Amino acid sequence: MTATDPAMTALAHGWSALSLLHGRIEGKVERALQAEHRLSAREYSLLDVLSRQHDGEGGHLQMRQVADSVVLSQSATTRLVTRLEDRGLLERYLCPTDRRGIYTNVTEDGLRLLEEARPTHNTALREALDQAATEPVLAPLVHAVQRLPSGAQPA
């Protein structure tokens, strides 16, 4: 393949469009959450992921799984957890069956903030997708996102 290979050029353009769509969505969501709730998009995502934990088998996530879910490194996720813990939105505790394990749960204040922020997040997301759908280069990606099955989670 060469630098002018049409398949590689198309792939690069597709990647560029995907990156553009992600940036626009993240920017819109970030601005809305910061303005209304003093919450970053990453903080919202972390609260959302951790709020879905449960006490059943496999119900608590290890830090690696949390990091994968919010698309951050483990060290960045740990710093984010610490920041939210300092704000009283998260709490850590030792795993009752494995004293080496540490779990992180959303506090009542964290759950309240998450529920207050959810409509803001969803509205900003919807607006960003609707705007992107009007642009020919982004419309196919928006339609692909909209066709994903409800509840689809990355592996």
Side-chain angles (χ1 to χ4, degrees):
M1 285 190 230
T2 67
T4 57
D5 181 343
M8 289 307 295
T9 301
L11 188 61
H13 285 288
W15 172 246
S16 179
L18 182 59
S19 182
L20 177 62
L21 178 62
H22 176 268
R24 288 199 186 164
I25 291 169
E26 188 172 53
K28 177 122 180 123
V29 169
E30 180 78 24
R31 287 187 299 277
L33 288 171
Q34 284 287 353
E36 296 292 323
H37 308 284
R38 291 188 23 225
L39 196 62
S40 74
R42 296 278 188 198
E43 290 168 338
Y44 175 89
S45 292
L46 181 64
L47 289 172
D48 185 52
V49 164
L50 291 174
S51 74
R52 297 172 196 278
Q53 297 183 119
H54 57 83
D55 289 330
E57 180 70 28
H60 283 273
L61 300 172
Q62 297 172 350
M63 194 55 69
R64 175 188 50 77
Q65 294 168 305
V66 173
D68 288 347
S69 295
V70 295
V71 194
L72 288 173
S73 68
Q74 279 189 254
S75 61
T77 302
T78 299
R79 288 191 300 274
L80 186 57
V81 165
T82 299
R83 242 188 357 255
L84 292 178
E85 187 177 34
D86 290 346
R87 288 176 58 187
L89 303 175
L90 296 178
E91 61 188 1
R92 291 185 240 202
Y93 65 95
L94 291 176
C95 171
T97 58
D98 179 0
R99 304 304 275 178
R100 296 169 295 167
I102 298 175
Y103 288 153
T104 305
N105 274 340
V106 182
T107 64
E108 290 300 319
D109 286 345
L111 290 172
R112 191 171 19 266
L113 180 59
L114 178 62
E115 289 311 308
E116 290 170 3
R118 194 177 305 282
T120 303
H121 172 272
N122 293 346
T123 297
L125 176 60
R126 175 82 278 149
E127 289 172 359
L129 287 169
D130 288 349
Q131 175 61 40
T134 67
E135 299 181 38
V137 71
L138 299 179
L141 294 172
V142 171
H143 297 304
V145 167
Q146 292 169 333
R147 286 191 304 270
L148 288 172
S150 179
Q153 295 287 322

